[in-house]
Each structure stands twice: as C-alpha cells, then as structure tokens.
C-alpha cells in the first residue's frame, strides 16, 4: 500500500493547526457515525440501589463498612478502584483534549460529547461500589482526592498526532480492562455494568482509530513516527494514582491487564486494522519509525511469552498447593 500526501509535500509543513483543519471533515464524518450508533443509557439502571444501606455519618442507623460485605472478588475490587480513579480525572482529560483539539466546529462537538459519555462511567461505577459495599468508602474518597489533586498531564500534549495515536490505543486498553474486570468480578451485576461501559469505550476507540487512519493518508511519515513513539512509551492514564504500580501488578497476575493482553488485545488489533506495518512509500524518517515499531512489537511479544510462562508456573504451584490441602 502506497500512501502519499495530497496536500503538502513536506512533513515539516504539517503544523498542528493545519492537521486539525485537514482532518476536520473526517472528524465530522466520524462524529455523525458515532451519534447514529451510540445509544444513550441511564447509569441508575445498572446499580442495585435496593441492596444499599446507610454508612455512618449524619445517619444514626449507619452501618460501618466491612471487607466481607460484598460478593466482588479481591482482584475485582482492586481493578474497580483503579478503573474508577482513572475515570475520576475526567476534568483533566477534558482540559487536555480541548486544549489540543479546540472547542469549536466538529472537533469541539466531539470533545464535549466524549466528555459527557465518559462522565457516565464514573457515575455508575461509584454508585455501584458504594451500593454494593465493595470498597471502603472513606479510603475511596481519600484516593480520589489525592489522585485528582495531582491532576493529569498527557505525555503527548506536545503533538496533536501523538495525542490521536495515544487515545486510539488507550480507549481500547480501557475497554479491555473494564471488560476483563467484569469477567473477574464474581458479580453478574458488575459484569453487566462494565460491559455497558466497555461498549462506549469501543466506540470511542473506533472514532480515534479511524481518525488515525485518515492521518496516515495525509501525513504518513509524521503519523508513523507518532504511532512508534506512543506504542514504545505507552502508559495508562491512571499511572499517577496512589498505589498504581502494586495494583497494576495484581491486575497483571489476575489476567485483567498484562503484557500479553496489551500486545494481543490492544496494540495488535489497531496496528492490523490500519495495516501500519504494510504501509510503503514512506520517507526515511517514516521508514525508520516503522522498522523500530516492528522491532518493538517483536520484543514485546517475547517479553509477553516470558510472562505467560511465569504465570502458568504460578498457577501450577497454586493448584498443587490447593490439591495438597
């Protein structure tokens, strides 16, 4: 597949402003497609409020939280907190993308629509966690305050193309994390709620993935470099929250999100759909970025294989220990 730029012959000519203008027609098309397929849903319909009861506070009949009050599994609780705290930073995310993409025209309409849809996720997850008593409400609020007080600064705020590339992968990563958390939660109600959230995240991924594909059409070398940089340096948006590294390690072992999942279910699907490794006709910098991307993906696959082997050995030891008891 040969791609050439129909607008400008030099990569250096592509400023963020020109890229925003050149892609606005695609944004409008993708926005209209999104609005046709996206379905409105009500957060309160996914929360079993009848199971809830008062916590101590202004209510004299409040019941203190205890770890055993919820049917949610331990790994489900850990992942739910990580996922919710990630969603909590929505004001910072909105500021980042509104600053990059603007608040006018199709770009602005998308920014506000995306923010409104993402807002539902935090609402329904918090209501579920409190109603089901899955987590300590005091600690949850303390974590939220600490996390939001730090704010969020994107690793890719310097470049509109890097930002588009990042969210194309990140939205899929979030979808996968939510879906796997639901499967591992031990609660069908939680699973249904997270499946609904995952559907939104998948539609957001499709929007950004298709936009990234259009960017390859008009600025292939710059887009390839952006994809290379984002994939090699990828971090989840919640990486700055309290205790993230420990929680991420537990989620990796719990098969909610780990290197194998990241490689197979997040990076590869986007790269394959866009045929990134098949693009030819690139300039020297674009070709270099494509080669480095290929090398990185091969290395990540090898590292994921090592992780798979360690995880399998760990499962075998646990099974043997359980059998001995």
């Amino acid at each position: 597949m040969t791609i050439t730029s129909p607008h400008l012959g030099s990569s250096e000519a592509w400023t963020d402003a020109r890229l925003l203008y050149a892609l606005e027609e695609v944004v409008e098309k993708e926005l209209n497609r999104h609005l046709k397929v996206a379905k409105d849903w009500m957060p309160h319909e996914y929360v079993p409020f009848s199971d809830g009861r008062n916590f101590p506070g202004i209510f004299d009949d409040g019941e203190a939280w205890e770890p055993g009050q919820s049917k949610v599994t331990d790994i489900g609780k850990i992942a739910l907190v990580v996922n919710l705290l990630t969603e909590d930073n929505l004001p910072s995310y909105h500021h980042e993308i509104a600053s990059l993409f603007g608040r006018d025209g199709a770009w602005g309409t998308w920014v506000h629509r995306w923010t409104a849809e993402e807002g539902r996720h935090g609402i329904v997850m918090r209501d579920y966690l409190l109603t089901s008593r899955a987590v300590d409400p005091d600690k949850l609020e303390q974590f939220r305050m600490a996390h939001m007080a730090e704010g969020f600064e994107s690793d890719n705020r310097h470049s509109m193309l890097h930002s588009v590339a990042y969210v194309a992968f990140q939205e899929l990563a979030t979808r996968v994390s939510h879906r796997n958390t639901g499967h591992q939660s031990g609660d069908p109600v939680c699973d249904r709620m997270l499946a609904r959230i995952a559907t939104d995240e998948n539609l957001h991924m499709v929007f950004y993935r298709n936009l990234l594909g259009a960017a390859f059409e008009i600025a292939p070398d710059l887009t390839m470099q952006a994809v290379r940089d984002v994939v090699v340096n990828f971090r989840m948006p919640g990486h700055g929250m309290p205790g993230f590294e420990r929680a991420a390690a537990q989620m990796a072992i719990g098969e909610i999100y780990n290197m194998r999942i990241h490689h197979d279910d997040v990076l590869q699907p986007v790269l394959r759909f866009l045929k990134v490794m098949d693009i030819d006709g690139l300039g020297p910098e674009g070709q270099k970025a494509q080669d480095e991307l290929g090398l990185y993906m091969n290395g990540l696959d090898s590292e994921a294989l090592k992780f798979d082997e360690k995880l399998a050995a760990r499962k075998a030891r646990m099974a043997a220990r359980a059998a001995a008891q």
Side-chain angles (χ1 to χ4, degrees):
M1 178 171 65
T2 301
I3 294 178
T4 58
S5 168
H7 299 290
L8 299 171
S10 169
S11 294
E12 288 76 12
W14 281 116
T15 63
D16 276 2
R18 283 176 170 167
L19 284 165
L20 287 166
Y21 178 78
L23 289 169
E24 181 146 22
E25 186 176 335
V26 180
V27 171
E28 183 174 6
K29 175 186 174 183
E30 290 301 317
L31 172 62
N32 290 334
R33 180 200 55 77
H34 177 85
L35 294 175
K36 287 180 180 177
V37 298
K39 296 181 180 179
D40 278 339
W41 55 279
M42 304 299 135
H44 57 265
E45 294 177 350
Y46 288 82
V47 180
F49 286 105
S50 61
D51 292 346
R53 48 203 187 274
N54 294 336
F55 289 103
I58 64 172
F59 303 103
D60 293 334
D61 61 344
E63 181 181 347
W65 178 82
E66 295 291 342
Q69 292 171 341
S70 171
K71 66 182 72 173
V72 177
T73 61
D74 289 341
I75 188 58
K77 294 173 183 177
I78 291 167
L80 279 163
V81 171
V82 169
N83 292 350
L84 174 56
L85 291 179
T86 300
E87 300 285 357
D88 275 333
N89 248 345
L90 182 59
S92 288
Y93 307 149
H94 174 85
H95 177 267
E96 291 286 313
I97 66 169
S99 298
L100 277 166
F101 300 154
R103 296 172 174 81
D104 300 318
W107 282 104
T109 302
W110 167 253
V111 166
H112 296 307
R113 173 73 190 196
W114 174 87
T115 302
E117 291 184 2
E118 289 287 345
R120 288 181 177 142
H121 304 166
I123 291 170
V124 71
M125 290 175 66
R126 175 166 282 98
D127 286 350
Y128 170 80
L129 284 172
L130 295 179
T131 301
S132 66
R133 290 180 170 248
V135 298
D136 184 336
D138 293 343
K139 287 186 178 179
L140 183 63
E141 178 61 10
Q142 290 163 5
F143 284 152
R144 187 190 71 85
M145 288 293 293
H147 186 40
M148 291 193 69
E150 289 295 320
F152 173 79
E153 185 172 300
S154 171
D155 295 334
N156 304 289
R157 63 188 328 208
H158 63 286
S159 161
M160 172 265 187
L161 275 181
H162 282 72
S163 296
V164 170
Y166 175 75
V167 288
F169 294 106
Q170 179 265 316
E171 292 284 2
L172 183 52
T174 304
R175 172 200 179 276
V176 169
S177 180
H178 283 311
R179 202 68 193 93
N180 289 343
T181 299
H183 292 330
Q184 302 280 6
S185 68
D187 182 7
V189 173
C190 181
D191 193 21
R192 287 194 296 270
M193 172 192 68
L194 292 177
R196 177 60 261 185
I197 293 175
T199 298
D200 281 0
E201 303 289 10
N202 195 64
L203 290 178
H204 296 164
M205 179 277 294
V206 170
F207 178 95
Y208 288 119
R209 183 198 64 193
N210 292 351
L211 189 57
L212 186 61
F216 267 116
E217 291 289 338
I218 66 173
D221 288 300
L222 286 177
T223 305
M224 186 66 74
Q225 293 172 69
V227 169
R228 184 259 330 262
D229 293 345
V230 164
V231 168
V232 170
N233 299 297
F234 186 88
R235 296 195 295 177
M236 289 294 272
H239 61 81
M241 70 179 61
F244 177 79
E245 291 185 2
R246 176 177 171 79
Q250 292 169 309
M251 290 168 66
I253 294 171
E255 297 183 86
I256 288 176
Y257 202 95
N258 55 41
M259 277 192 290
R260 173 55 61 199
I261 293 169
H262 183 60
H263 177 278
D264 291 0
D265 300 338
V266 176
L267 298 181
Q268 285 285 26
V270 175
L271 296 176
R272 279 198 304 265
F273 183 89
L274 296 177
K275 297 181 172 62
V276 172
M277 302 311 299
D278 298 328
I279 295 173
D280 54 20
L282 295 165
E285 289 302 315
Q287 185 63 60
K288 177 184 176 185
Q290 187 182 52
D291 292 343
E292 290 175 348
L293 177 61
L295 289 172
Y296 177 81
M297 290 299 294
N298 290 337
L300 181 62
D301 188 39
S302 297
E303 289 300 313
L305 180 60
K306 294 177 184 178
F307 176 84
D308 293 341
E309 293 170 349
K310 290 180 180 178
L311 186 60
R314 183 178 187 276
K315 287 181 178 179
R317 289 195 302 270
M318 292 179 67
R321 194 175 300 129
Q325 293 176 349

